[in-house]
Amino acid sequence: MILTRRSFTLGAAALGTATVLDGATGPRRTKPVGGAMLDTIVLGAGIAGLNTAWLLEQQGQTVMVLEARQRVGGRVFTLLDQPGLPEMGFNSMAAGYGRGIDAAKRAGVELYDVSPRYRAAGGMALFLGGQPLTREQWAVSPLNPFPDALKTVMPWEIVNKLVGARTPLADWTEWTDPKNAALDISLRDFLKAQGLPDPAIRLAYDTSPYYGTSAFDASALMLEYNDGFVKAQALAGPGSLAVRGGNSKLPVAMAKLLKGDLLMDKEAVAIDSAADGATVTCADGSSFRAKRIVCALPFSVARRLKFTPGLAGVQAQAVATLGVQPLSVAFLTVKTNYWEQDKLNPSMWTDGPAGTVLAQHFGPTDTEVTGLLLQARGNLARYWDRLGKSAALDLIARTIETYRPAAKGQIVPAALHSWENEVFSGGAWAVFAPGQVAALASTMSAPAGRVHFCGEHTAVGARGIEGALESSERVAIEILS
Ligand SMILES: Cc1cc2nc3c(=O)[nH]c(=O)nc-3n(C[C@H](O)[C@H](O)[C@H](O)COP(=O)(O)OP(=O)(O)OC[C@H]3O[C@@H](n4cnc5c(N)ncnc54)[C@H](O)[C@@H]3O)c2cc1C
């Protein structure tokens, strides 16, 4: 067996040995762990934790990473055993992801432009109450609750259109500035003020909410921040970049750049800080000491950790209450291209139990459909969860067959991944409720004694993995200074 310089370690560290993994594939060898007190322990081998560890090692620190799962990458998760390598989490970087592009270069993974594959999907068919509607039919449909000026806008387009066109946030990079606190209202109130009636908000947002379970749950200020980031990315240029061979290759390659130990299967459960250092205790009873601890975990899981001394004030409130998006992803394969029979787009936006269906074009050519990726957000994600994997997949397949008789017997359920049910994620991304941006965002990530916080949810100038990387830079500077 080939031994790599990088040590992914697993399991028996408490006994003084640890098993080394090559990539995320399997055990390779054992080696002793221990020795002098480390400079820093990083909790979580997602993009934020891995990059923090790398940055600190570049500055000469000794660093150990503890990861609860048996794989690295967290919310970057490719199904390597399915056609087209469907992504259950992170999909792509925009052109302005300077940090993401740099991380990929450093790690030696190849990025390629997937935007032609996205474009090959050619939009989505609208299905309401099981019936297909073209844009023209939608514009005059009695089901259309939008104001006259917006009748031709499809349900999935309208919220971004209104937030993008009418944002009152002068500079999106200042979204956490207390001077913008008055904008930290619910998305529902923002959309009402733009003339959208409640039935329109329910259809356009609550059916498939990006944040929370309804427009009442989501801070309009957070959507304005998101809108600013998206516009900045568009200014940087066109294109969407993904990792050739699956996005999971990126965290695996980032992990291989590390010199220190990366212990897998190590769920941190407690952090005790004292005058001479801090101790992390794991669920298996093992413990590790360092001068500093970086908590690169979403607050939805960090809230299960026992901090001694306890967190205080706004930070305690943020760790305990910051929301996280309920979202589930399903993957189906198809036996035949049934859409060639019914002449409708295989991609669909539905108000039914199948959620949003996106045809995947990740075969040898841009046009070949490799499967269907479905997203359920908010309450629909929870409904799928309540049904359980196999019943939910069955319902999804039956729903598509009912909507599209040509699909009868042609759909093969393959996978379903619930981010909310994943104990080491708790959801897809951070959700600030109305009032929480003003109350929490500017102070919640401050160091608490020897403990520092990073991760996507703590980013203030970028979203997604670019935000995770931004947060790792901030936390590395905090520690080094
Ligand atoms: C469906 C979906 C689509 C997305 N699409 C995009 C996209 O197109 N573009 C984009 O930029 N972003 C996208 N994102 C967001 C992006 O994936 C995340 O923002 C980013 O990966 C978060 O990285 P992180 O390091 O902050 O957190 P995570 O990836 O969650 O890493 C945290 C790590 O901590 C580990 N952990 C948890 N608890 C413990 C514990 N107690 N002890 C030790 N370890 C623990 C976890 O296992 C995990 O590895 C998407 C996310 C989802 C879910």
Side-chain angles (χ1 to χ4, degrees), residues 113-470:
D113 186 5
V114 289
S115 58
R117 291 166 189 270
Y118 290 169
R119 273 197 301 277
M124 290 190 281
L126 170 63
F127 273 78
L128 285 186
Q131 297 303 312
L133 290 165
T134 62
R135 193 179 286 267
E136 294 69 32
Q137 289 166 332
W138 170 240
V140 295
S141 166
L143 297 172
N144 189 329
F146 296 166
D148 285 348
L150 297 167
K151 284 277 187 203
T152 58
V153 182
M154 292 305 231
W156 60 88
E157 297 168 342
I158 200 162
V159 173
N160 287 346
K161 189 179 170 71
L162 290 176
V163 171
R166 305 191 192 162
T167 176
L169 185 62
D171 177 352
W172 68 276
T173 63
E174 295 183 347
W175 69 295
T176 64
D177 191 314
K179 73 180 179 204
N180 292 313
L183 305 178
D184 197 8
I185 58 172
S186 77
L187 179 66
R188 187 261 181 185
D189 288 352
F190 173 88
L191 293 172
K192 281 287 268 191
Q194 309 309 314
L196 219 55
D198 276 321
I201 296 171
R202 281 197 289 275
L203 176 70
Y205 190 80
D206 301 357
T207 307
S208 185
Y210 199 73
Y211 296 108
T213 56
S214 81
F216 286 99
D217 298 347
S219 159
L221 188 48
M222 179 182 48
L223 270 97
E224 287 162 43
Y225 159 51
N226 198 61
D227 173 68
F229 178 66
V230 170
K231 284 178 180 155
Q233 293 301 313
L235 283 178
S240 299
L241 302 170
V243 179
R244 200 176 289 284
N247 287 328
S248 282
K249 276 184 153 185
L250 174 62
V252 169
M254 287 172 74
K256 285 183 178 164
L257 295 178
L258 300 179
K259 297 192 275 258
D261 284 331
L262 193 169
L263 308 191
M264 310 300 286
D265 239 347
K266 287 286 173 193
E267 179 189 356
V269 293
I271 304 174
D272 290 82
S273 300
D276 59 343
T279 305
V280 175
T281 305
C282 295
D284 62 5
S286 57
S287 61
F288 304 89
R289 277 175 64 70
K291 294 174 196 155
R292 302 266 157 192
I293 311 296
V294 173
C295 180
L297 318 176
F299 282 171
S300 43
V301 296
R303 70 184 54 135
R304 292 200 301 267
L305 264 59
K306 185 168 185 299
F307 292 86
T308 307
L311 301 176
V314 165
Q315 191 160 50
Q317 192 192 338
V319 171
T321 66
L322 188 68
V324 62
Q325 183 59 23
L327 186 147
S328 293
V329 184
F331 182 68
L332 317 171
T333 58
V334 293
K335 292 181 189 164
T336 58
N337 293 354
Y338 56 82
W339 47 91
E340 287 168 5
Q341 266 188 53
D342 67 15
K343 309 285 181 219
L344 294 166
N345 195 314
S347 298
M348 302 189 277
W349 189 96
T350 83
D351 62 349
T356 304
V357 182
L358 297 168
Q360 301 293 289
H361 294 260
F362 289 94
T365 64
D366 294 354
T367 45
E368 183 187 328
V369 174
T370 44
L372 304 174
L373 198 78
L374 293 89
Q375 262 200 17
R377 300 188 202 141
N379 286 325
L380 181 58
R382 290 182 174 159
Y383 180 57
W384 285 8
D385 288 349
R386 279 196 299 276
L387 289 176
K389 203 173 267 195
S390 109
L393 282 169
D394 190 49
L395 173 67
I396 292 164
R398 276 190 291 110
T399 303
I400 298 174
E401 289 178 354
T402 311
Y403 288 4
R404 307 177 67 151
K408 189 100 191 126
Q410 303 309 308
I411 291 174
V412 185
L416 191 144
H417 191 83
S418 163
W419 286 105
E420 191 172 44
N421 269 0
E422 278 272 320
V423 287
F424 299 124
S425 297
W429 43 72
V431 177
F432 287 82
Q436 279 194 321
V437 174
L440 309 177
S442 62
T443 46
M444 67 182 202
S445 314
R450 293 183 177 277
V451 186
H452 300 253
F453 296 89
C454 69
E456 158 267 337
H457 53 295
T458 69
V460 291
R463 310 289 294 143
I465 67 159
E466 189 68 359
L469 291 165
E470 175 213 286

